[in-house]
Amino acid sequence: MYRYDEFDHSLVKERVEQFRGQVARRLDGDITEDEFKPIRLMNGLYLQLHAYMLRVAVPYGTLSSKQLRKLADIARKYDRGYGHFTTRQNLQYNWPALKDVPAILDELASVEMHCIQTSGNCIRNVTSDQYAGAAKDEVEDPRIISEVIRQWSTFHPEFSFLPRKFKIAVSGTEADRAAIKVHDIGIQIVTNDKGEVGYQVYVGGGLGRTPMIGKKIGDFVPKADLLAYLEAVMRVYNMNGRRDNLYKSRIKILVHEIGAEEMQRQVEEEFAEIRKTGALNLPQDEIDRIKAYFADPAFEDLSDDAAELDAAIAADKGFAHWVKNNTAAHKKPGYAIVNISLKPIGGTPGDCSADQMDAVAALAEKYSFDELRVTHEQNLTLAHVRKADLKAVYDALKAADLATANVNLITDQIACPGLDYCNLANARSIPIAQEISNRFADIERQHDIGELKINTSGCINACGHHHVGHIGILGVDKKGVEYYQVTLGGSADENTAIGDILGPAFTEQEIPDAIEKIVKIYLDTRQDGERFIDTYRRVGIQPFKENVYEAH
Amino acid sequence: MAQHTRKGAKEQALTANRLIDGVVVYLTADGKLSESLQDAEVAEGKEAAEALLTRATPFVDANEIIEPYLFAVELEDGRIRAVSVRETIRQAGPTVRLDLGKQAELADVHG
């Protein structure tokens, strides 16, 4: 796993000291709020409804046990005993006091963490696949180039005042678990005919007010040229992105307005210029140095035979459900990937108490080579667990209320903080997710329904990824009353799609029944082996439109 | 940001966040800041509301509060109630964590 070198460490330490001075000057009144606000935002500190909110970067979602324990400590010492994992694979504290933030940043720096690139119009924290280094069909560990991009983009002077924020996601497998096509840049790691590893580059994806699917402009960017190519994209965006209109300032609008072909032409032109100097040529030894950080841990040579596991599954129905839903195939025989659901029935998606963080840290330490992942679907992942240890891991998770066996099922919902916490929200998200979760609590029923992703956002900014939920729910404010608009058919995987609006919005009370009707139509219509999204793609929105709104 | 108050709101109060810790506060009739909406001064009509907003300036200048604004309230049996869901949540706490926020700290927070 990546370790900070001397350079990073001093950079972060200096940044904390600067911020300590800035906070002191703000509290003394030496600088105004107008002067201070951009500074605090650059350090991940927002002002929300009830308090400040501190967003901690978790680069490409990877954490060590020690780091997670530190996050738990901070939650207890400076916050209210919990944290919230977000769709950006980050962690947010909802209640920090401004006066305590320099001390929190000190604590974070002690475990090589910080809040840099979690706010502002810069290249944000790079996100990636939670199965990195463990997935069976991976071309290359996506964390290697995620880390290269992180090092290149951190405090890059040319990209510290972009027209708007900029998000990059990387996938190393064809199955996309990082939603790369709804990012400003999505990178798909591929091989060419010669077996060389390179990158497909998608630009102009995004959610928010104007959802767009990224367009492929780079078919095979060679490894050594990746940063030169990304710099070319950034430069075209920096020159031509709209700075006059906040709603049109993301690269997706630029790509939409000039077209993918013209975008590609401009990027290629810039790319050719950058390549002439050769300054951004990525040396192989530097790639190798970073690659070594993400080398396989010391896997044992195990048999994939799992007689003990099979016996445990047969003996414990709860465990059987959990193995079925929350574990995934690992590249090494005898190992499994474990997904830890942060979606207990009726709970808040993504919330994790300090005690639960400690419990997961202990499990990661004991059973998964001392590290874990945060997923953009607001769950946690232990990437490398021996199959023989699955029962012990399950039992420990159960004791920590973390064994909900619902990953990818209807109660495994994404929800933004919504109006319960967020200053931008128009409506609440969490209670909607909770009501749906309670309605579909029965695990047998969830299994019968199968894979179904419901995503809820409390405003059009779409932090809850509602556009790409199989069922998307968007909270809106109508004359002071919360209403919820439903979309169907969205998807954030390798077949990315933006959902279609079903019809008139529902009240909070009507939403669970509306979801119930949508699910019933799917169950009545599906053919053998079809998931919700498959049925939707086959039959379209009409049967849902016709039946959901019909009078009782 | 969600709309705080609507045109034609008859009664308004002034809220802000405390600089040092972000806690929600309200401007009171005796020129202080209170954590309880029940202590807030209620301005009736446009002129009184504008005067209330002006009275927040010294607190901003003294670096005690940030982002002051007016929001619609109504009086019911002598209690002050926020009109919007947003301000109700802001003055009480998250509806999904009743153990947190002012609802956990102040008595009778919902008025």
Side-chain angles (χ1 to χ4, degrees):
Chain A
M1 178 176 167
Y2 178 68
R3 293 174 298 277
Y4 269 30
D5 58 22
E6 201 64 27
F7 177 70
D8 275 332
H9 190 68
S10 52
L11 197 79
V12 171
K13 284 297 237 187
E14 278 171 25
R15 179 68 171 246
V16 174
E17 279 316 303
Q18 280 172 5
F19 193 57
R20 189 186 308 283
Q22 288 154 347
V23 170
R25 288 198 293 284
R26 175 70 192 104
L27 292 175
D28 285 348
D30 294 338
I31 49 178
T32 66
E33 187 61 17
D34 284 347
E35 290 163 331
F36 181 66
K37 190 175 173 182
I39 296 170
R40 72 165 156 77
L41 286 173
M42 279 190 277
N43 287 282
L45 189 65
Y46 291 71
L47 182 67
Q48 296 285 31
L49 283 191
H50 312 286
Y52 291 96
M53 178 273 282
L54 185 67
R55 184 178 293 155
V56 181
V58 182
Y60 31 89
T62 299
L63 280 171
S64 68
S65 306
K66 187 179 168 188
Q67 289 173 325
L68 187 58
R69 284 202 178 94
K70 177 57 78 178
L71 294 175
D73 283 349
I74 292 170
R76 282 193 196 94
K77 200 167 162 187
Y78 300 100
D79 211 82
R80 304 290 166 95
Y82 71 107
H84 177 74
F85 289 104
T86 75
T87 50
R88 297 274 310 138
Q89 296 180 304
N90 290 325
L91 178 113
Q92 292 179 178
Y93 292 114
N94 289 313
W95 306 90
L98 175 62
K99 63 181 173 54
D100 293 334
V101 173
I104 297 173
L105 295 182
D106 262 341
E107 300 242 14
L108 289 170
S110 74
V111 293
E112 300 166 349
M113 296 188 82
H114 53 73
C115 301
I116 295 162
Q117 290 173 288
T118 63
S119 179
N121 294 340
C122 61
I123 297 176
R124 299 285 187 91
N125 189 32
V126 179
T127 53
S128 189
D129 179 7
Q130 66 271 19
Y131 292 178
K136 258 186 164 170
D137 51 352
E138 189 171 87
V139 177
E140 185 178 77
D141 190 325
R143 292 172 302 171
I144 300 166
I145 61 157
S146 297
E147 176 55 25
V148 168
I149 295 166
R150 190 196 69 78
Q151 293 192 16
W152 161 74
S153 62
T154 299
F155 299 146
H156 193 308
E158 192 176 330
F159 309 134
S160 58
F161 185 62
L162 295 168
R164 195 73 179 94
K165 58 186 169 183
F166 202 93
K167 300 172 183 177
I168 301 177
V170 185
S171 174
T173 60
E174 206 179 315
D176 177 10
R177 285 171 290 268
I180 65 167
K181 289 177 195 161
V182 287
H183 283 75
D184 296 284
I185 290 180
I187 299 173
Q188 178 74 51
I189 307 176
V190 291
T191 46
N192 64 7
D193 297 345
K194 296 176 198 158
E196 296 163 333
V197 172
Y199 311 102
Q200 283 179 354
V201 177
Y202 294 82
V203 297
L207 299 173
R209 188 174 298 268
T210 319
M212 299 273 186
I213 296 171
K215 315 285 187 303
K216 188 164 76 177
I217 62 161
D219 207 34
F220 187 85
V221 177
K223 213 167 209 187
D225 290 333
L226 179 67
L227 291 188
Y229 195 86
L230 294 183
E231 187 136 314
V233 174
M234 298 309 299
R235 213 163 265 182
V236 170
Y237 172 53
N238 221 352
M239 283 188 295
N240 302 329
R242 296 276 298 266
R243 290 174 187 272
D244 61 324
N245 184 338
L246 183 69
Y247 302 124
K248 295 184 175 179
S249 56
R250 297 289 289 267
I251 194 173
K252 62 188 173 186
I253 303 297
L254 174 65
V255 174
H256 181 70
E257 283 182 353
I258 67 174
E261 267 182 40
E262 173 60 14
M263 184 72 192
Q264 185 178 36
R265 190 194 66 73
Q266 292 192 23
V267 168
E268 291 291 342
E269 199 174 284
E270 196 66 45
F271 180 47
E273 281 300 310
I274 295 168
R275 278 179 93 186
K276 274 185 202 164
T277 69
L280 268 176
N281 197 22
L282 256 175
Q284 188 58 44
D285 58 347
E286 183 58 17
I287 296 175
D288 290 343
R289 189 179 73 84
I290 290 172
K291 194 174 180 177
Y293 292 134
F294 302 104
D296 275 353
F299 290 124
E300 295 169 51
D301 285 325
L302 299 171
S303 154
D304 222 20
D305 177 32
E308 253 179 69
L309 177 62
D310 291 343
I313 288 170
D316 183 340
K317 208 173 177 184
F319 179 55
H321 284 315
W322 182 82
V323 170
K324 184 180 171 192
N325 285 302
N326 291 29
T327 67
H330 195 280
K331 66 181 182 184
K332 288 284 176 192
Y335 284 87
I337 298 168
V338 167
N339 291 300
I340 302 170
S341 170
L342 296 181
K343 321 290 173 60
I345 297 303
T348 298
D351 271 11
C352 191
S353 74
D355 290 349
Q356 288 176 321
M357 290 185 214
D358 279 340
V360 174
L363 288 173
E365 188 172 55
K366 191 168 178 187
Y367 297 109
S368 193
F369 300 98
D370 210 20
E371 58 118 322
L372 68 143
R373 319 285 170 75
V374 182
T375 84
H376 88 271
E377 291 180 331
Q378 300 180 282
N379 291 320
L380 300 175
T381 296
L382 300 175
H384 317 292
V385 178
R386 294 191 324 169
K387 284 185 176 175
D389 293 329
L390 285 177
K391 184 67 166 69
V393 169
Y394 169 75
D395 289 341
L397 287 173
K398 204 172 165 188
D401 288 328
L402 286 169
T404 312
N406 62 351
V407 168
N408 288 330
L409 299 180
I410 190 169
T411 60
D412 180 13
Q413 304 167 78
I414 291 176
C416 71
L419 192 53
D420 279 301
Y421 292 99
C422 179
N423 204 13
L424 299 173
N426 290 317
R428 289 171 298 156
S429 302
I430 299 166
I432 300 302
Q434 291 176 330
E435 283 163 31
I436 295 167
S437 177
N438 286 325
R439 177 68 70 97
F440 290 93
D442 180 2
I443 191 73
E444 303 287 349
R445 189 175 175 215
Q446 289 189 56
H447 277 217
D448 180 39
I449 296 165
E451 184 185 308
L452 208 173
K453 294 171 190 267
I454 302 183
N455 296 353
T456 302
S457 301
C459 78
I460 196 63
N461 292 310
C463 295
H465 292 195
H466 65 277
H467 298 295
V468 288
H470 297 163
I471 300 176
I473 302 174
L474 166 65
V476 294
D477 174 321
K478 286 189 186 180
K479 295 182 179 170
V481 180
E482 297 159 294
Y483 276 84
Y484 297 90
Q485 194 178 77
V486 171
T487 52
L488 299 179
S491 177
D493 59 12
E494 57 282 9
N495 300 308
T496 300
I498 305 297
D500 308 307
I501 294 173
L502 179 66
F506 302 93
T507 63
E508 180 189 354
Q509 290 71 31
E510 289 166 346
I511 271 285
D513 286 341
I515 302 298
E516 186 99 55
K517 283 183 183 174
I518 291 166
V519 169
K520 186 173 185 309
I521 296 160
Y522 154 63
L523 293 175
D524 292 346
T525 317
R526 72 175 167 188
Q527 295 175 350
D528 274 357
E530 271 186 348
R531 302 167 301 164
F532 176 88
I533 189 69
D534 302 324
T535 301
Y536 181 81
R537 284 176 180 156
R538 180 171 55 81
V539 304
I541 202 161
Q542 207 50 38
F544 295 94
K545 266 187 191 289
E546 283 165 12
N547 292 297
V548 171
Y549 293 100
E550 73 180 4
H552 292 286
Chain B
M1 192 184 290
Q3 208 171 335
H4 301 130
T5 191
R6 287 165 208 290
K7 276 183 191 170
K10 282 184 191 155
E11 290 151 336
Q12 298 186 83
L14 184 130
T15 185
N17 290 79
R18 209 155 54 200
L19 171 67
I20 195 164
D21 55 12
V23 167
V24 174
V25 290
Y26 302 95
L27 189 56
T28 69
D30 57 356
K32 291 182 179 151
L33 297 170
S34 169
E35 291 186 28
S36 171
L37 175 60
Q38 297 314 318
D39 298 334
E41 175 168 10
V42 175
E44 286 186 40
K46 198 177 164 191
E47 273 179 31
E50 279 169 8
L52 188 60
L53 192 57
T54 307
R55 281 178 43 213
T57 307
F59 291 98
V60 174
D61 292 345
N63 303 298
E64 286 187 50
I65 60 169
I66 51 176
E67 302 199 3
Y69 61 86
L70 297 166
F71 67 102
V73 294
E74 54 193 16
L75 292 167
E76 214 176 80
D77 301 328
R79 308 286 298 172
I80 305 169
R81 292 171 61 91
V83 171
S84 70
V85 181
R86 180 185 196 275
E87 290 307 324
T88 305
I89 290 173
R90 206 163 167 275
Q91 64 110 8
T95 63
V96 292
R97 285 295 301 260
L98 301 180
D99 58 327
L100 297 176
K102 295 180 189 303
Q103 59 203 351
E105 295 154 9
L106 303 174
D108 204 13
V109 76
H110 287 290

